[in-house]
Amino acid sequence: VQLVESGGGSVQAGRSLRLSCASSGSVVSTMCMGWVRRAPGKEREGVAAIVTLGGTTYYDDSVTGRFTISQDNAKNTVYLQMDSLKPEDTAMYYCALRVIGCRSGAVIANPDLVNYWGQGTQVTVS
């Protein structure tokens, strides 16, 4: 499985960015895809996740109401729409894939459950 992210960048607080993650390789319909971020000097933090079969979504409390995760199954692509960005959202954002489901959102609290990782895309909010 390969995950390729795009869409990061530098923006001012209050603005928006959209991240994309295209997956390729052996994919299954019941997998979980999402985003994990790591800010300098901090632990990894699960941000959002979506079950590819059915579209159930999960969010970390820090982004609820501001970030939206969505998918285009025909393109094997997941998106993260980030609105009302704050300086504390500054981090490297990694696309993440867990082969068998999101474990009822547990993957948000425990990124160790992720099976595959993208290379990361930087988001900087000033």
Side-chain angles (χ1 to χ4, degrees):
V1 175
Q2 290 186 326
L3 305 174
V4 179
E5 303 108 328
S6 60
S10 297
V11 295
Q12 292 183 329
R15 303 300 292 270
S16 299
L17 280 175
R18 189 175 83 154
L19 306 182
S20 299
C21 173
S23 64
S24 61
S26 299
V27 297
V28 297
S29 62
T30 56
M31 65 187 183
C32 175
M33 290 189 67
W35 299 87
V36 175
R37 66 186 180 188
R38 172 170 273 172
K42 294 187 176 182
E43 297 291 323
R44 289 180 306 183
E45 178 184 37
V47 175
I50 186 167
V51 181
T52 55
L53 181 64
T56 300
T57 57
Y58 304 93
Y59 296 94
D60 183 75
D61 288 345
S62 65
V63 305
T64 297
R66 299 188 298 122
F67 291 11
T68 304
I69 189 169
S70 62
Q71 61 182 350
D72 184 336
N73 286 341
K75 297 180 180 180
N76 288 331
T77 299
V78 170
Y79 305 96
L80 184 68
Q81 177 67 39
M82 304 184 294
D83 298 322
S84 302
L85 282 161
K86 303 176 180 179
E88 50 264 44
D89 294 318
T90 295
M92 185 71 79
Y93 283 70
Y94 297 90
C95 183
L97 186 151
R98 174 175 164 81
V99 175
I100 304 178
C102 295
R103 288 192 62 179
S104 300
V107 67
I108 295 292
N110 186 7
D112 287 342
L113 294 173
V114 171
N115 300 125
Y116 297 96
W117 297 90
Q119 81 284 357
T121 185
Q122 179 68 37
V123 172
T124 303
V125 185
S126 59

